[in-house]
Amino acid sequence: KHDPESDEEFVFAYRRAVEPFMDSLNDHEALFYGREQTVYKHLKVRTFHTGHFEEPVEVNIPKVIKKEKKRAAFVYAHGGAAVAGSVNASRRITQCIAVDMNVVVFNVNYRVAPEARCPANIKDFYEVVKYVSKNAQKLKIDPEKIVIGGEGGGGYILS
């Protein structure tokens, strides 16, 4: 039997257990180099598939490619089983990915369940991919070098 109240109780218990661990990764000194070697910006992408919403996106640009006009891009979906996780929890990891791969990372803060029902999270992410592609010149992105990726729940919404 499907019980929405039990589902929500489980999700909130899962978040209480997992999110402190995910957030603690930002304090791990092994990931500090990413913060030091990137420029960090915010972006909002408007979506309309479930009413008006502005999708928060963090943009991490390695300082060594900051002035290049045609940079590669990696649009990233955070983990968290599609019910937890956030841009905040994956900030240091995506900064390191930007530095290690020499790409601009667009870290998408897609909406999670149960507050947002599937396919809202998939469409949130897709809208950001479309935005990066359509605005490649303004964002100094090479439209031929845009990739998507993620982990855990983020990998789920990409598939």
Side-chain angles (χ1 to χ4, degrees), residues 69-125:
K69 292 189 180 5
K70 283 202 158 196
R71 307 173 292 204
F74 179 29
V75 186
Y76 178 83
H78 63 78
V83 298
S86 69
V87 164
N88 294 336
S90 58
R91 178 172 295 129
R92 297 290 176 253
I93 292 169
T94 55
Q95 289 170 335
C96 292
I97 290 170
V99 170
D100 293 343
M101 293 176 59
N102 229 19
V103 299
V104 177
V105 176
F106 293 84
N107 189 2
V108 181
N109 203 32
Y110 63 87
R111 291 175 280 181
V112 295
E115 294 84 0
R117 297 282 179 204
C118 190
N121 51 6
I122 296 166
K123 290 181 177 182
D124 288 348
F125 187 83

Side-chain angles (χ1 to χ4, degrees), residues 1-20:
K1 177 181 168 189
H2 180 260
D3 178 7
E5 284 184 33
S6 294
D7 290 350
E8 284 189 16
E9 287 176 26
F10 171 79
V11 166
F12 295 126
Y14 178 82
R15 287 179 185 168
R16 283 191 304 276
V18 171
E19 286 181 345

Side-chain angles (χ1 to χ4, degrees), residues 61-72 102-104 136-142 145:
I61 306 167
K63 290 178 181 177
V64 297
I65 64 169
K66 182 181 175 195
K67 295 184 180 186
E68 290 182 18
K69 292 189 180 5
K70 283 202 158 196
R71 307 173 292 204
N102 229 19
V103 299
V104 177
Q137 185 174 5
K138 178 176 95 173
L139 297 167
K140 298 180 183 175
I141 298 298
D142 183 341
K145 294 182 178 178

Side-chain angles (χ1 to χ4, degrees), residues 14-28 31 79-80 84-86 88-90 93 151:
Y14 178 82
R15 287 179 185 168
R16 283 191 304 276
V18 171
E19 286 181 345
F21 168 74
M22 294 171 80
D23 290 339
S24 73
L25 292 175
N26 286 325
D27 296 327
H28 198 288
L31 301 177
S86 69
N88 294 336
S90 58
I93 292 169
E151 43 151 331

